[in-house]
Amino acid sequence: MRLLKHLFDSNLAWAEQIKQRDPNFFSKLSRQQRPEYLWIGCSDSRVPANEIVNLMPGEIFVHRNIANVVVHTDLNCLSVIQYAVDVLKVKHIIVCGHYGCGGIRAALEGEAHGLIDNWLGHIKDVYRYHQTMIDAIADEQERLNLLCELNVIEQVVNVAQTTVAQNAWRNGQELSVHGWIYSIDDGILKDLDICIAGLDQIPPSCVIKARSYRQEKE
Ligand code: CO
C-alpha cells in the first residue's frame, strides 16, 4: 500500500476537531513554540509524551529513544537538550521511564537482539552498578521494575552531567531535571523523587570545573 489513506483521514478529523475548539490554534502555533518542558522518554508506542500529561502541540519538546537513555556522547540527544535549554529555555527536563520496558527486559535477560544489544549496553551498566540490590530480589517482575526505576535515576544524573545543564545553572538559568516512571497497566505517572536543580545537588566529581569554561573563552 503506497498511501496510508486511513492515517490522512484521521489527521483531517483531528485537525478539524482542534479548529472547532480554537479556530486560531494552528495559526498561533505556527508563529512560535514556547514549551516549558523537555521530555526524554522511551520510544515504546504505549508511552506517548503529549497524551500522558494531556498537553497540546507546542507545550512539550520531546526526545525518545529505546529505554530513555541519555548517553554522554549521543549527539542527537545532546542537541535536543542544548536546543531546549539554550534556545527554547525550557524550565524542566523530565526523564520518563516506564514499567515493563522491553529494552530494560532485554538488557536484564541478556538475549541477543542484534544491533540494539550495543545500545542496551548502557542499561547493562546500570544493572552492574546496582547488581547486588537487584539480584537480592526474588521476584523477576520486581527486579525488572527496580531496574526501570534505577535507569531513570541514572539518566537524570546523566542529564545533570551535560555541559548544557551545567552551563545553564552556572548562568543562573532556572532548570530542574526530574525522574518519572509511567505504568502502562493503569496509565499513571509516578515521581521517583529525584530532582536536580543546581550544581550543588550533584556529586562534586560530576561537576565540570568553571575554569575550563574560562579557558574556552580566552
Ligand atoms: Co520502553
Side-chain angles (χ1 to χ4, degrees):
M1 188 166 29
R2 214 171 143 256
L3 191 65
L4 300 172
K5 189 175 177 305
H6 58 293
L7 294 184
F8 286 87
D9 291 344
S10 174
N11 164 251
L12 282 180
W14 170 80
E16 199 49 50
Q17 195 189 346
I18 288 185
K19 277 186 276 187
Q20 271 173 10
R21 251 185 285 162
D22 178 1
N24 299 317
F25 181 82
F26 290 109
S27 56
K28 276 188 289 183
L29 207 57
S30 64
R31 285 194 286 276
Q32 65 171 340
Q33 61 164 339
R34 203 175 280 167
E36 277 193 27
Y37 316 96
L38 163 61
W39 173 282
I40 299 175
C42 184
S43 298
D44 193 303
S45 63
R46 299 164 295 179
V47 193
N50 281 68
E51 282 88 338
I52 287 174
V53 283
N54 202 15
L55 288 178
M56 294 295 283
E59 292 185 299
I60 189 160
F61 201 63
V62 176
H63 177 78
R64 289 166 70 181
N65 61 41
I66 290 176
N68 42 272
V69 181
V70 177
V71 178
H72 301 306
T73 53
D74 176 5
L75 193 59
N76 184 350
C77 184
L78 289 173
S79 300
V80 171
I81 294 173
Q82 192 257 323
Y83 187 77
V85 172
D86 289 354
V87 181
L88 297 175
K89 308 278 186 213
V90 298
K91 292 189 176 72
H92 304 276
I93 299 177
I94 298 154
V95 176
C96 186
H98 66 101
Y99 293 121
C101 181
I104 307 276
R105 183 186 298 278
L108 199 57
E109 289 173 351
E111 276 174 35
H113 293 87
L115 182 68
I116 181 72
D117 297 327
N118 297 284
W119 181 255
L120 297 179
H122 298 292
I123 311 291
K124 285 181 181 288
D125 288 342
V126 181
Y127 174 46
R128 182 160 42 83
Y129 302 154
H130 305 280
Q131 192 160 1
T132 313
M133 184 171 42
I134 294 168
D135 288 353
I137 297 169
D139 185 74
E140 192 192 328
Q141 194 62 43
E142 277 182 38
R143 273 202 305 274
L144 176 64
N145 287 350
L146 179 61
L147 186 54
C148 290
E149 292 180 355
L150 291 171
N151 179 52
V152 169
I153 292 166
E154 196 65 33
Q155 308 314 324
V156 166
V157 175
N158 286 351
V159 173
Q161 283 210 64
T162 61
T163 55
V164 178
Q166 296 199 6
N167 279 340
W169 286 323
R170 211 168 259 120
N171 294 332
Q173 193 175 329
E174 186 190 335
L175 180 69
S176 307
V177 189
H178 308 259
W180 296 358
I181 196 148
Y182 173 76
S183 171
I184 290 171
D185 292 337
D186 59 10
I188 301 298
L189 275 172
K190 185 168 90 180
D191 191 316
L192 287 173
D193 202 23
I194 176 166
C195 179
I196 302 178
L199 287 173
D200 56 328
Q201 295 165 29
I202 52 177
S205 62
C206 296
V207 177
I208 303 156
K209 290 187 178 61
R211 193 165 161 262
S212 61
Y213 291 100
R214 276 207 300 276
Q215 284 174 334
E216 242 170 56
K217 282 178 194 160
E218 279 164 12

